Amino acid sequence: MASAVRAAFDAAAFVARALRSRGLKGPCVPSRPLPRVPRTPRIAFAALTLGVAAAGVKEARAHTQRHHPRAPGPRELRFSSFASLRFQGRPYMTPSDFVDSVTRNSPCDDAPKRILTEKEVQSILAKTPALDERRSQLFHSMGHNGLISYSDYLFLLCILTKPLAGFQIAFNMLDTDGNQHIDKTEFLMMQEIFNSRNERRAEAGAEEHSAMPAASVKRHGDTTLLVHLFGRNGDKELDYQDFYRFTTALQEEVLWREFSACAHGRRVISEGAFARVLLRYTDVRDAAAITENLAARVPAGQGISFEEFHSFFQFLNNLEDFSIAVQMYTRAGLAIGQDEFRRAVRVATGLHLSPHLVCTVFHLFDEDGDGRLSHTEFLGVMRDRLRRGARDHRTSPKKDNYRTCVRRELSR
């Protein structure tokens, strides 16, 4: 405990000296640790010292954000690169842009952004189909007749990459009267909760953060998503079953777009095509060589059906639950074979993956050909895949600690 107290005090002193050297007001602490104190006050003293240090770091970060704006983060960069519309100086996506952003590595072309007037925006929103129409391939049917804000984009990414159980919990928490309905204001609250969590996780450990202020991430008017869910006047209530159908339909539409791009009209795709889709948006090196090795290991001809494709990506949305199940095997000193993998998926997610699909995945991540899964690499690569291009691989994650923060400030 004494070493922890001294380390905490040293951190606070380091922050204070750094801030004062920059002409900032920092926590006032002496340059040397205080003498040893009795055990009981030591715990409180450690908490106080860490609080002082944290306050100093917070002030340093606030000063940096005011005077040294950061470059846009990877999510904002991707949104801006695919967004083909501009309205009142802000970028917006069309439904087609959004689907492209989660199924392609880069935009189709570099056409100039279309600048919208207020009249054009109202005309686009008037074409939004009602929720009770329950269109299949909704985003494809709307094409370029839609308006998706950055806030909508983050929320739709959550729908594609998060288990639906989390949305049900949030929905039920906001449903204070228990009637399984929420209004537009309550939905925006749920959207803000998921967006803020998504942004924090995306930026964790990265050197660059979003240049878009928190206030600007919030919406500035109606969008296609809001009009679709709550009507043109925003006075309709959203039933959870309708929201569930919307989320599952969006997931299926995006997966079908990825699958059909490889199937070319066939009912199955090759194992190599499945591997290429799986490794997209990841930083795996020599992906082409890995795919060639897979073709040599897996018997050709059977292929991967859309049902198998769909079930695997449903499993990925529950990857964290699966990782807990896998840890039970590794802590017991057990190797993870194909049967253990299928059982862990079934227990964690309730999904049944076909033996051929699991065999394909194993050969893809079986580094030494011993029939066992390199689960650490598998989980890391699949977490990258879930981000769908919203991670910047040019920057290496670093531990976010006091000294790193202050050194960045001093180096400016």
Side-chain angles (χ1 to χ4, degrees), residues 95-96 98-99 137-143 148 156 246 250 253:
S96 182
F98 174 76
V99 176
Q137 303 289 310
L138 174 67
F139 279 57
H140 175 73
S141 67
M142 287 191 293
I148 297 175
L156 292 172
F246 170 77
L250 176 61
E253 178 176 352

Side-chain angles (χ1 to χ4, degrees), residues 304-343:
I304 305 294
S305 69
F306 179 69
E307 289 72 21
E308 292 174 309
F309 187 88
H310 185 270
S311 63
F312 185 81
F313 282 95
Q314 276 189 306
F315 147 65
L316 286 189
N317 285 357
N318 295 271
L319 192 63
E320 297 309 317
D321 293 334
F322 169 77
S323 68
I324 295 173
V326 167
Q327 288 176 17
M328 302 297 290
Y329 284 109
T330 57
R331 289 181 179 178
L334 301 175
I336 302 174
Q338 295 184 29
D339 291 339
E340 290 80 11
F341 184 92
R342 293 178 63 201
R343 183 173 185 274

